[in-house]
Amino acid sequence: MSIRDNLTAFQKQLPDTVKLVAVSKTKPVEDILEAYNAGQRIFGENKVQDLVAKQPLLPKDIQWHYIGHLQTNKVKFIAPFVHLIHAVDSLKLLKEINKQGLKNNRVIDCLLQFHIADEETKFGLSFEEAGEILCNEVFQSFTNVRIIGVMGMATYTLNENQVRGEFRQLRKYFDNLKSKYFNDADYFREISMGMSGDFRLAIGEGSTLIRVGTLIFGERNK
Ligand SMILES: *Cc1c(COP(=O)(O)O)cnc(C)c1O
């Protein structure tokens, strides 16, 4: 199957409420262009260096999502063009994103990443930590960063009940934050969860953004 065929088949399964982030990490610009020519506009990368190398070579109406762990000192490289930063997990990082947003005269949209997996290696906030950030006056003074939802990664396991439970937890965090901090904010509406192996479960639990690489571009070269 070609990338175009994969995408077409994939788009057919998606409800209108769910957007596909085509995860193009490690893939060459030719592959991204093939997906673009098949109609895909949202792409995800997880390394700043790769994103910065690919972005100028590709059409300007691509919406680039940064899905990896972002280091504070690298925000400046993607701030001029990034459409959404998925994995924000500290006030310090938000502060830098706000600063770079100001410099570039734009508001940068972000998601708060939550730790939902039963694995220590995955980044992310607890619900309490997120509350502390959102209540903080420093955060409330930011004018050029906007939190539009949440993101999480489930445990890498074949146990569907566990994965479903973790996605359900993230959905609960979203609902709680919405009612507590974003009740009047229409823009707070994204739940980024689900990858090639678990996107169906994620959609069942209310995902609005699925991040899928392998099923579209094939296996990554290690
Ligand atoms: C690589 C990656 C994905 C996509 O993974 P696939 O299993 O190839 O679909 C999704 N989210 C994040 C954060 C990733 O790093």
Side-chain angles (χ1 to χ4, degrees), residues 21-25 44-46 66-69 86-87 113 151-153 156 192 194-199 210-220:
V21 180
V23 176
S24 51
K25 63 188 187 194
E45 290 279 337
N46 74 338
Y66 189 75
I67 62 170
H69 185 71
H86 281 237
Q113 180 177 13
M151 178 267 199
M153 291 170 84
Y156 190 69
S192 167
M195 309 176 19
S196 290
D198 56 19
F199 74 92
I210 55 171
R211 311 176 308 269
V212 176
T214 310
L215 283 182
I216 291 165
F217 294 104
E219 293 291 334
R220 284 180 287 277

PDB file of all heavy atoms in Angstrom, residues 21-25 44-46 66-69 86-87 113 151-153 156 192 194-199 210-220, ligand 1:
ATOM      1  N   VAL A  21      -3.248  13.608  13.127  1.00  0.00           N
ATOM      2  CA  VAL A  21      -1.897  14.168  13.047  1.00  0.00           C
ATOM      3  C   VAL A  21      -1.030  13.072  12.440  1.00  0.00           C
ATOM      4  O   VAL A  21      -0.832  12.016  13.049  1.00  0.00           O
ATOM      5  CB  VAL A  21      -1.361  14.549  14.449  1.00  0.00           C
ATOM      6  CG1 VAL A  21       0.045  15.122  14.345  1.00  0.00           C
ATOM      7  CG2 VAL A  21      -2.296  15.524  15.142  1.00  0.00           C
ATOM      8  N   ALA A  22      -0.559  13.287  11.221  1.00  0.00           N
ATOM      9  CA  ALA A  22       0.287  12.290  10.558  1.00  0.00           C
ATOM     10  C   ALA A  22       1.709  12.443  11.091  1.00  0.00           C
ATOM     11  O   ALA A  22       2.371  13.448  10.851  1.00  0.00           O
ATOM     12  CB  ALA A  22       0.248  12.493   9.051  1.00  0.00           C
ATOM     13  N   VAL A  23       2.157  11.452  11.840  1.00  0.00           N
ATOM     14  CA  VAL A  23       3.466  11.544  12.501  1.00  0.00           C
ATOM     15  C   VAL A  23       4.564  11.127  11.523  1.00  0.00           C
ATOM     16  O   VAL A  23       4.713   9.952  11.197  1.00  0.00           O
ATOM     17  CB  VAL A  23       3.492  10.692  13.780  1.00  0.00           C
ATOM     18  CG1 VAL A  23       4.886  10.720  14.404  1.00  0.00           C
ATOM     19  CG2 VAL A  23       2.457  11.202  14.781  1.00  0.00           C
ATOM     20  N   SER A  24       5.302  12.143  11.058  1.00  0.00           N
ATOM     21  CA  SER A  24       6.268  11.934   9.983  1.00  0.00           C
ATOM     22  C   SER A  24       7.709  11.853  10.476  1.00  0.00           C
ATOM     23  O   SER A  24       8.645  11.925   9.680  1.00  0.00           O
ATOM     24  CB  SER A  24       6.121  13.066   8.965  1.00  0.00           C
ATOM     25  OG  SER A  24       6.157  14.332   9.614  1.00  0.00           O
ATOM     26  N   LYS A  25       7.889  11.707  11.771  1.00  0.00           N
ATOM     27  CA  LYS A  25       9.246  11.646  12.332  1.00  0.00           C
ATOM     28  C   LYS A  25      10.061  10.554  11.639  1.00  0.00           C
ATOM     29  O   LYS A  25       9.520   9.482  11.344  1.00  0.00           O
ATOM     30  CB  LYS A  25       9.187  11.412  13.840  1.00  0.00           C
ATOM     31  CG  LYS A  25       8.558  10.094  14.260  1.00  0.00           C
ATOM     32  CD  LYS A  25       8.365  10.036  15.772  1.00  0.00           C
ATOM     33  CE  LYS A  25       7.911   8.664  16.208  1.00  0.00           C
ATOM     34  NZ  LYS A  25       7.398   8.655  17.586  1.00  0.00           N
ATOM     35  N   GLY A  44       3.089  15.706  12.415  1.00  0.00           N
ATOM     36  CA  GLY A  44       3.721  15.749  13.731  1.00  0.00           C
ATOM     37  C   GLY A  44       5.169  15.308  13.677  1.00  0.00           C
ATOM     38  O   GLY A  44       5.505  14.321  13.012  1.00  0.00           O
ATOM     39  N   GLU A  45       6.012  16.058  14.376  1.00  0.00           N
ATOM     40  CA  GLU A  45       7.433  15.714  14.490  1.00  0.00           C
ATOM     41  C   GLU A  45       7.818  15.752  15.964  1.00  0.00           C
ATOM     42  O   GLU A  45       7.212  16.487  16.752  1.00  0.00           O
ATOM     43  CB  GLU A  45       8.298  16.716  13.714  1.00  0.00           C
ATOM     44  CG  GLU A  45       8.163  16.606  12.194  1.00  0.00           C
ATOM     45  CD  GLU A  45       8.993  15.476  11.583  1.00  0.00           C
ATOM     46  OE1 GLU A  45       9.996  15.054  12.209  1.00  0.00           O
ATOM     47  OE2 GLU A  45       8.636  15.011  10.483  1.00  0.00           O
ATOM     48  N   ASN A  46       8.849  14.978  16.330  1.00  0.00           N
ATOM     49  CA  ASN A  46       9.227  14.945  17.744  1.00  0.00           C
ATOM     50  C   ASN A  46      10.669  15.358  18.009  1.00  0.00           C
ATOM     51  O   ASN A  46      11.150  15.219  19.118  1.00  0.00           O
ATOM     52  CB  ASN A  46       8.948  13.567  18.342  1.00  0.00           C
ATOM     53  CG  ASN A  46       9.944  12.535  17.878  1.00  0.00           C
ATOM     54  OD1 ASN A  46      10.579  12.708  16.828  1.00  0.00           O
ATOM     55  ND2 ASN A  46      10.101  11.474  18.639  1.00  0.00           N
ATOM     56  N   TYR A  66       4.224  19.870  17.169  1.00  0.00           N
ATOM     57  CA  TYR A  66       5.400  19.333  17.833  1.00  0.00           C
ATOM     58  C   TYR A  66       4.924  18.376  18.923  1.00  0.00           C
ATOM     59  O   TYR A  66       4.242  18.782  19.864  1.00  0.00           O
ATOM     60  CB  TYR A  66       6.268  20.454  18.427  1.00  0.00           C
ATOM     61  CG  TYR A  66       7.567  19.886  18.893  1.00  0.00           C
ATOM     62  CD1 TYR A  66       8.551  19.540  17.970  1.00  0.00           C
ATOM     63  CD2 TYR A  66       7.786  19.607  20.234  1.00  0.00           C
ATOM     64  CE1 TYR A  66       9.729  18.942  18.375  1.00  0.00           C
ATOM     65  CE2 TYR A  66       8.971  19.013  20.643  1.00  0.00           C
ATOM     66  CZ  TYR A  66       9.928  18.683  19.705  1.00  0.00           C
ATOM     67  OH  TYR A  66      11.082  18.082  20.113  1.00  0.00           O
ATOM     68  N   ILE A  67       5.260  17.084  18.772  1.00  0.00           N
ATOM     69  CA  ILE A  67       4.676  16.076  19.661  1.00  0.00           C
ATOM     70  C   ILE A  67       5.666  15.509  20.669  1.00  0.00           C
ATOM     71  O   ILE A  67       5.299  14.707  21.518  1.00  0.00           O
ATOM     72  CB  ILE A  67       4.051  14.905  18.853  1.00  0.00           C
ATOM     73  CG1 ILE A  67       5.119  14.176  18.038  1.00  0.00           C
ATOM     74  CG2 ILE A  67       2.924  15.411  17.946  1.00  0.00           C
ATOM     75  CD1 ILE A  67       4.623  12.874  17.420  1.00  0.00           C
ATOM     76  N   GLY A  68       6.936  15.910  20.576  1.00  0.00           N
ATOM     77  CA  GLY A  68       7.946  15.335  21.466  1.00  0.00           C
ATOM     78  C   GLY A  68       8.132  16.136  22.739  1.00  0.00           C
ATOM     79  O   GLY A  68       7.435  17.126  22.983  1.00  0.00           O
ATOM     80  N   HIS A  69       9.066  15.687  23.556  1.00  0.00           N
ATOM     81  CA  HIS A  69       9.422  16.439  24.739  1.00  0.00           C
ATOM     82  C   HIS A  69      10.245  17.640  24.291  1.00  0.00           C
ATOM     83  O   HIS A  69      11.216  17.494  23.569  1.00  0.00           O
ATOM     84  CB  HIS A  69      10.236  15.553  25.691  1.00  0.00           C
ATOM     85  CG  HIS A  69      10.542  16.236  26.979  1.00  0.00           C
ATOM     86  ND1 HIS A  69       9.578  16.494  27.922  1.00  0.00           N
ATOM     87  CD2 HIS A  69      11.686  16.754  27.456  1.00  0.00           C
ATOM     88  CE1 HIS A  69      10.124  17.127  28.943  1.00  0.00           C
ATOM     89  NE2 HIS A  69      11.400  17.300  28.690  1.00  0.00           N
ATOM     90  N   HIS A  86       2.287  19.753  21.677  1.00  0.00           N
ATOM     91  CA  HIS A  86       1.448  18.765  22.378  1.00  0.00           C
ATOM     92  C   HIS A  86       1.879  18.439  23.801  1.00  0.00           C
ATOM     93  O   HIS A  86       1.067  17.954  24.574  1.00  0.00           O
ATOM     94  CB  HIS A  86       1.463  17.429  21.616  1.00  0.00           C
ATOM     95  CG  HIS A  86       0.565  17.387  20.426  1.00  0.00           C
ATOM     96  ND1 HIS A  86      -0.425  16.459  20.265  1.00  0.00           N
ATOM     97  CD2 HIS A  86       0.511  18.170  19.322  1.00  0.00           C
ATOM     98  CE1 HIS A  86      -1.051  16.647  19.115  1.00  0.00           C
ATOM     99  NE2 HIS A  86      -0.498  17.677  18.518  1.00  0.00           N
ATOM    100  N   ALA A  87       3.151  18.577  24.105  1.00  0.00           N
ATOM    101  CA  ALA A  87       3.628  17.930  25.325  1.00  0.00           C
ATOM    102  C   ALA A  87       4.221  18.912  26.329  1.00  0.00           C
ATOM    103  O   ALA A  87       5.374  18.804  26.714  1.00  0.00           O
ATOM    104  CB  ALA A  87       4.642  16.842  24.964  1.00  0.00           C
ATOM    105  N   GLN A 113       0.546  18.017  28.937  1.00  0.00           N
ATOM    106  CA  GLN A 113       0.732  16.564  28.902  1.00  0.00           C
ATOM    107  C   GLN A 113       0.544  15.963  30.293  1.00  0.00           C
ATOM    108  O   GLN A 113       1.146  16.421  31.258  1.00  0.00           O
ATOM    109  CB  GLN A 113       2.118  16.203  28.371  1.00  0.00           C
ATOM    110  CG  GLN A 113       2.322  14.686  28.324  1.00  0.00           C
ATOM    111  CD  GLN A 113       3.655  14.266  27.741  1.00  0.00           C
ATOM    112  OE1 GLN A 113       4.572  15.075  27.576  1.00  0.00           O
ATOM    113  NE2 GLN A 113       3.777  12.983  27.435  1.00  0.00           N
ATOM    114  N   MET A 151      -2.990  16.176  26.560  1.00  0.00           N
ATOM    115  CA  MET A 151      -2.362  15.121  25.766  1.00  0.00           C
ATOM    116  C   MET A 151      -1.863  14.036  26.706  1.00  0.00           C
ATOM    117  O   MET A 151      -1.490  14.324  27.843  1.00  0.00           O
ATOM    118  CB  MET A 151      -1.187  15.728  24.984  1.00  0.00           C
ATOM    119  CG  MET A 151      -0.388  14.773  24.132  1.00  0.00           C
ATOM    120  SD  MET A 151       1.047  14.086  24.977  1.00  0.00           S
ATOM    121  CE  MET A 151       2.007  13.511  23.573  1.00  0.00           C
ATOM    122  N   GLY A 152      -1.877  12.794  26.216  1.00  0.00           N
ATOM    123  CA  GLY A 152      -1.315  11.724  27.020  1.00  0.00           C
ATOM    124  C   GLY A 152      -0.972  10.507  26.178  1.00  0.00           C
ATOM    125  O   GLY A 152      -1.473  10.347  25.061  1.00  0.00           O
ATOM    126  N   MET A 153      -0.098   9.675  26.736  1.00  0.00           N
ATOM    127  CA  MET A 153       0.283   8.418  26.087  1.00  0.00           C
ATOM    128  C   MET A 153      -0.020   7.267  27.028  1.00  0.00           C
ATOM    129  O   MET A 153       0.398   7.271  28.178  1.00  0.00           O
ATOM    130  CB  MET A 153       1.779   8.417  25.768  1.00  0.00           C
ATOM    131  CG  MET A 153       2.154   9.398  24.667  1.00  0.00           C
ATOM    132  SD  MET A 153       3.938   9.561  24.520  1.00  0.00           S
ATOM    133  CE  MET A 153       4.297   8.152  23.479  1.00  0.00           C
ATOM    134  N   TYR A 156       2.359   0.989  26.927  1.00  0.00           N
ATOM    135  CA  TYR A 156       2.590   0.128  25.773  1.00  0.00           C
ATOM    136  C   TYR A 156       2.292  -1.309  26.185  1.00  0.00           C
ATOM    137  O   TYR A 156       3.138  -2.004  26.730  1.00  0.00           O
ATOM    138  CB  TYR A 156       4.041   0.291  25.314  1.00  0.00           C
ATOM    139  CG  TYR A 156       4.339  -0.353  23.993  1.00  0.00           C
ATOM    140  CD1 TYR A 156       3.801   0.173  22.821  1.00  0.00           C
ATOM    141  CD2 TYR A 156       5.152  -1.482  23.910  1.00  0.00           C
ATOM    142  CE1 TYR A 156       4.073  -0.415  21.604  1.00  0.00           C
ATOM    143  CE2 TYR A 156       5.424  -2.079  22.690  1.00  0.00           C
ATOM    144  CZ  TYR A 156       4.875  -1.536  21.537  1.00  0.00           C
ATOM    145  OH  TYR A 156       5.140  -2.123  20.327  1.00  0.00           O
ATOM    146  N   SER A 192      -5.586  15.024  22.898  1.00  0.00           N
ATOM    147  CA  SER A 192      -4.661  14.335  22.004  1.00  0.00           C
ATOM    148  C   SER A 192      -4.308  12.989  22.611  1.00  0.00           C
ATOM    149  O   SER A 192      -3.524  12.905  23.553  1.00  0.00           O
ATOM    150  CB  SER A 192      -3.409  15.199  21.804  1.00  0.00           C
ATOM    151  OG  SER A 192      -2.370  14.466  21.209  1.00  0.00           O
ATOM    152  N   GLY A 194      -4.024   8.548  21.421  1.00  0.00           N
ATOM    153  CA  GLY A 194      -4.170   7.491  20.432  1.00  0.00           C
ATOM    154  C   GLY A 194      -3.064   7.521  19.391  1.00  0.00           C
ATOM    155  O   GLY A 194      -2.767   8.570  18.822  1.00  0.00           O
ATOM    156  N   MET A 195      -2.436   6.345  19.171  1.00  0.00           N
ATOM    157  CA  MET A 195      -1.370   6.175  18.188  1.00  0.00           C
ATOM    158  C   MET A 195      -1.751   4.973  17.312  1.00  0.00           C
ATOM    159  O   MET A 195      -2.868   4.482  17.389  1.00  0.00           O
ATOM    160  CB  MET A 195      -0.029   5.947  18.903  1.00  0.00           C
ATOM    161  CG  MET A 195       0.211   7.004  19.954  1.00  0.00           C
ATOM    162  SD  MET A 195       1.676   6.902  21.023  1.00  0.00           S
ATOM    163  CE  MET A 195       2.829   5.836  20.224  1.00  0.00           C
ATOM    164  N   SER A 196      -0.810   4.511  16.488  1.00  0.00           N
ATOM    165  CA  SER A 196      -1.163   3.411  15.564  1.00  0.00           C
ATOM    166  C   SER A 196      -1.786   2.223  16.290  1.00  0.00           C
ATOM    167  O   SER A 196      -2.754   1.638  15.816  1.00  0.00           O
ATOM    168  CB  SER A 196       0.075   2.946  14.787  1.00  0.00           C
ATOM    169  OG  SER A 196       0.466   3.938  13.861  1.00  0.00           O
ATOM    170  N   GLY A 197      -1.230   1.865  17.438  1.00  0.00           N
ATOM    171  CA  GLY A 197      -1.674   0.656  18.118  1.00  0.00           C
ATOM    172  C   GLY A 197      -2.946   0.795  18.946  1.00  0.00           C
ATOM    173  O   GLY A 197      -3.573  -0.220  19.283  1.00  0.00           O
ATOM    174  N   ASP A 198      -3.314   2.031  19.259  1.00  0.00           N
ATOM    175  CA  ASP A 198      -4.434   2.172  20.205  1.00  0.00           C
ATOM    176  C   ASP A 198      -5.412   3.295  19.835  1.00  0.00           C
ATOM    177  O   ASP A 198      -6.219   3.714  20.665  1.00  0.00           O
ATOM    178  CB  ASP A 198      -3.893   2.381  21.635  1.00  0.00           C
ATOM    179  CG  ASP A 198      -2.940   3.560  21.752  1.00  0.00           C
ATOM    180  OD1 ASP A 198      -2.942   4.432  20.865  1.00  0.00           O
ATOM    181  OD2 ASP A 198      -2.178   3.608  22.740  1.00  0.00           O
ATOM    182  N   PHE A 199      -5.383   3.759  18.586  1.00  0.00           N
ATOM    183  CA  PHE A 199      -6.226   4.919  18.239  1.00  0.00           C
ATOM    184  C   PHE A 199      -7.717   4.608  18.325  1.00  0.00           C
ATOM    185  O   PHE A 199      -8.523   5.477  18.640  1.00  0.00           O
ATOM    186  CB  PHE A 199      -5.844   5.489  16.864  1.00  0.00           C
ATOM    187  CG  PHE A 199      -6.294   4.654  15.706  1.00  0.00           C
ATOM    188  CD1 PHE A 199      -7.509   4.885  15.097  1.00  0.00           C
ATOM    189  CD2 PHE A 199      -5.489   3.626  15.223  1.00  0.00           C
ATOM    190  CE1 PHE A 199      -7.929   4.115  14.023  1.00  0.00           C
ATOM    191  CE2 PHE A 199      -5.904   2.848  14.163  1.00  0.00           C
ATOM    192  CZ  PHE A 199      -7.130   3.085  13.567  1.00  0.00           C
ATOM    193  N   ILE A 210      -5.687  12.272  16.980  1.00  0.00           N
ATOM    194  CA  ILE A 210      -4.891  11.062  17.094  1.00  0.00           C
ATOM    195  C   ILE A 210      -3.573  11.285  16.371  1.00  0.00           C
ATOM    196  O   ILE A 210      -3.512  11.971  15.355  1.00  0.00           O
ATOM    197  CB  ILE A 210      -5.626   9.818  16.548  1.00  0.00           C
ATOM    198  CG1 ILE A 210      -6.082  10.030  15.107  1.00  0.00           C
ATOM    199  CG2 ILE A 210      -6.835   9.495  17.430  1.00  0.00           C
ATOM    200  CD1 ILE A 210      -6.603   8.763  14.466  1.00  0.00           C
ATOM    201  N   ARG A 211      -2.516  10.729  16.941  1.00  0.00           N
ATOM    202  CA  ARG A 211      -1.170  10.915  16.402  1.00  0.00           C
ATOM    203  C   ARG A 211      -0.695   9.598  15.821  1.00  0.00           C
ATOM    204  O   ARG A 211      -0.310   8.692  16.564  1.00  0.00           O
ATOM    205  CB  ARG A 211      -0.218  11.371  17.521  1.00  0.00           C
ATOM    206  CG  ARG A 211      -0.737  12.545  18.360  1.00  0.00           C
ATOM    207  CD  ARG A 211       0.238  12.856  19.491  1.00  0.00           C
ATOM    208  NE  ARG A 211       0.560  11.670  20.277  1.00  0.00           N
ATOM    209  CZ  ARG A 211      -0.103  11.279  21.361  1.00  0.00           C
ATOM    210  NH1 ARG A 211      -1.093  11.993  21.834  1.00  0.00           N
ATOM    211  NH2 ARG A 211       0.246  10.169  21.992  1.00  0.00           N
ATOM    212  N   VAL A 212      -0.742   9.468  14.505  1.00  0.00           N
ATOM    213  CA  VAL A 212      -0.489   8.174  13.886  1.00  0.00           C
ATOM    214  C   VAL A 212       0.664   8.249  12.885  1.00  0.00           C
ATOM    215  O   VAL A 212       0.629   9.063  11.961  1.00  0.00           O
ATOM    216  CB  VAL A 212      -1.769   7.656  13.196  1.00  0.00           C
ATOM    217  CG1 VAL A 212      -1.498   6.346  12.471  1.00  0.00           C
ATOM    218  CG2 VAL A 212      -2.885   7.479  14.217  1.00  0.00           C
ATOM    219  N   GLY A 213       1.666   7.419  13.094  1.00  0.00           N
ATOM    220  CA  GLY A 213       2.812   7.379  12.188  1.00  0.00           C
ATOM    221  C   GLY A 213       2.866   6.098  11.371  1.00  0.00           C
ATOM    222  O   GLY A 213       2.650   6.095  10.159  1.00  0.00           O
ATOM    223  N   THR A 214       3.143   4.996  12.042  1.00  0.00           N
ATOM    224  CA  THR A 214       3.411   3.722  11.381  1.00  0.00           C
ATOM    225  C   THR A 214       2.318   3.302  10.398  1.00  0.00           C
ATOM    226  O   THR A 214       2.621   2.840   9.293  1.00  0.00           O
ATOM    227  CB  THR A 214       3.595   2.624  12.455  1.00  0.00           C
ATOM    228  OG1 THR A 214       4.537   3.097  13.413  1.00  0.00           O
ATOM    229  CG2 THR A 214       4.115   1.338  11.839  1.00  0.00           C
ATOM    230  N   LEU A 215       1.072   3.460  10.758  1.00  0.00           N
ATOM    231  CA  LEU A 215      -0.020   3.008   9.892  1.00  0.00           C
ATOM    232  C   LEU A 215      -0.121   3.825   8.608  1.00  0.00           C
ATOM    233  O   LEU A 215      -0.754   3.401   7.652  1.00  0.00           O
ATOM    234  CB  LEU A 215      -1.361   3.067  10.631  1.00  0.00           C
ATOM    235  CG  LEU A 215      -1.651   1.957  11.643  1.00  0.00           C
ATOM    236  CD1 LEU A 215      -3.028   2.154  12.243  1.00  0.00           C
ATOM    237  CD2 LEU A 215      -1.528   0.584  11.002  1.00  0.00           C
ATOM    238  N   ILE A 216       0.517   4.984   8.584  1.00  0.00           N
ATOM    239  CA  ILE A 216       0.462   5.816   7.375  1.00  0.00           C
ATOM    240  C   ILE A 216       1.752   5.737   6.577  1.00  0.00           C
ATOM    241  O   ILE A 216       1.738   5.550   5.374  1.00  0.00           O
ATOM    242  CB  ILE A 216       0.156   7.272   7.769  1.00  0.00           C
ATOM    243  CG1 ILE A 216      -1.280   7.328   8.280  1.00  0.00           C
ATOM    244  CG2 ILE A 216       0.341   8.220   6.588  1.00  0.00           C
ATOM    245  CD1 ILE A 216      -1.612   8.557   9.020  1.00  0.00           C
ATOM    246  N   PHE A 217       2.872   5.875   7.285  1.00  0.00           N
ATOM    247  CA  PHE A 217       4.157   5.937   6.599  1.00  0.00           C
ATOM    248  C   PHE A 217       4.924   4.618   6.609  1.00  0.00           C
ATOM    249  O   PHE A 217       5.991   4.523   6.002  1.00  0.00           O
ATOM    250  CB  PHE A 217       5.039   7.025   7.239  1.00  0.00           C
ATOM    251  CG  PHE A 217       4.518   8.415   7.067  1.00  0.00           C
ATOM    252  CD1 PHE A 217       3.909   9.085   8.122  1.00  0.00           C
ATOM    253  CD2 PHE A 217       4.603   9.063   5.842  1.00  0.00           C
ATOM    254  CE1 PHE A 217       3.412  10.370   7.969  1.00  0.00           C
ATOM    255  CE2 PHE A 217       4.115  10.351   5.681  1.00  0.00           C
ATOM    256  CZ  PHE A 217       3.522  11.006   6.743  1.00  0.00           C
ATOM    257  N   GLY A 218       4.412   3.623   7.290  1.00  0.00           N
ATOM    258  CA  GLY A 218       5.138   2.361   7.432  1.00  0.00           C
ATOM    259  C   GLY A 218       6.090   2.395   8.606  1.00  0.00           C
ATOM    260  O   GLY A 218       6.208   3.406   9.297  1.00  0.00           O
ATOM    261  N   GLU A 219       6.766   1.276   8.815  1.00  0.00           N
ATOM    262  CA  GLU A 219       7.689   1.171   9.947  1.00  0.00           C
ATOM    263  C   GLU A 219       8.794   2.215   9.820  1.00  0.00           C
ATOM    264  O   GLU A 219       9.212   2.553   8.717  1.00  0.00           O
ATOM    265  CB  GLU A 219       8.343  -0.215   9.978  1.00  0.00           C
ATOM    266  CG  GLU A 219       7.386  -1.351  10.293  1.00  0.00           C
ATOM    267  CD  GLU A 219       6.882  -1.319  11.728  1.00  0.00           C
ATOM    268  OE1 GLU A 219       7.576  -0.772  12.609  1.00  0.00           O
ATOM    269  OE2 GLU A 219       5.760  -1.834  11.947  1.00  0.00           O
ATOM    270  N   ARG A 220       9.247   2.711  10.966  1.00  0.00           N
ATOM    271  CA  ARG A 220      10.342   3.679  10.955  1.00  0.00           C
ATOM    272  C   ARG A 220      11.677   2.940  10.907  1.00  0.00           C
ATOM    273  O   ARG A 220      11.809   1.854  11.450  1.00  0.00           O
ATOM    274  CB  ARG A 220      10.297   4.562  12.194  1.00  0.00           C
ATOM    275  CG  ARG A 220       9.218   5.617  12.129  1.00  0.00           C
ATOM    276  CD  ARG A 220       9.205   6.463  13.369  1.00  0.00           C
ATOM    277  NE  ARG A 220       8.674   5.757  14.520  1.00  0.00           N
ATOM    278  CZ  ARG A 220       7.368   5.633  14.793  1.00  0.00           C
ATOM    279  NH1 ARG A 220       6.477   6.152  13.984  1.00  0.00           N
ATOM    280  NH2 ARG A 220       6.969   4.983  15.856  1.00  0.00           N
TER     281      ARG A 220
HETATM  282  C1  LIG B   1       6.034   8.370  17.341  1.00  0.00           C
HETATM  283  C2  LIG B   1       4.912   8.953  18.095  1.00  0.00           C
HETATM  284  C3  LIG B   1       3.591   8.704  17.703  1.00  0.00           C
HETATM  285  C4  LIG B   1       3.202   7.796  16.540  1.00  0.00           C
HETATM  286  O1  LIG B   1       3.482   6.466  16.809  1.00  0.00           O
HETATM  287  P1  LIG B   1       2.989   5.281  15.841  1.00  0.00           P
HETATM  288  O2  LIG B   1       2.952   4.101  16.715  1.00  0.00           O
HETATM  289  O3  LIG B   1       4.020   5.175  14.754  1.00  0.00           O
HETATM  290  O4  LIG B   1       1.667   5.656  15.308  1.00  0.00           O
HETATM  291  C5  LIG B   1       2.581   9.324  18.440  1.00  0.00           C
HETATM  292  N1  LIG B   1       2.849  10.133  19.481  1.00  0.00           N
HETATM  293  C6  LIG B   1       4.105  10.397  19.869  1.00  0.00           C
HETATM  294  C7  LIG B   1       4.324  11.308  21.029  1.00  0.00           C
HETATM  295  C8  LIG B   1       5.166   9.816  19.205  1.00  0.00           C
HETATM  296  O5  LIG B   1       6.422  10.083  19.603  1.00  0.00           O
END
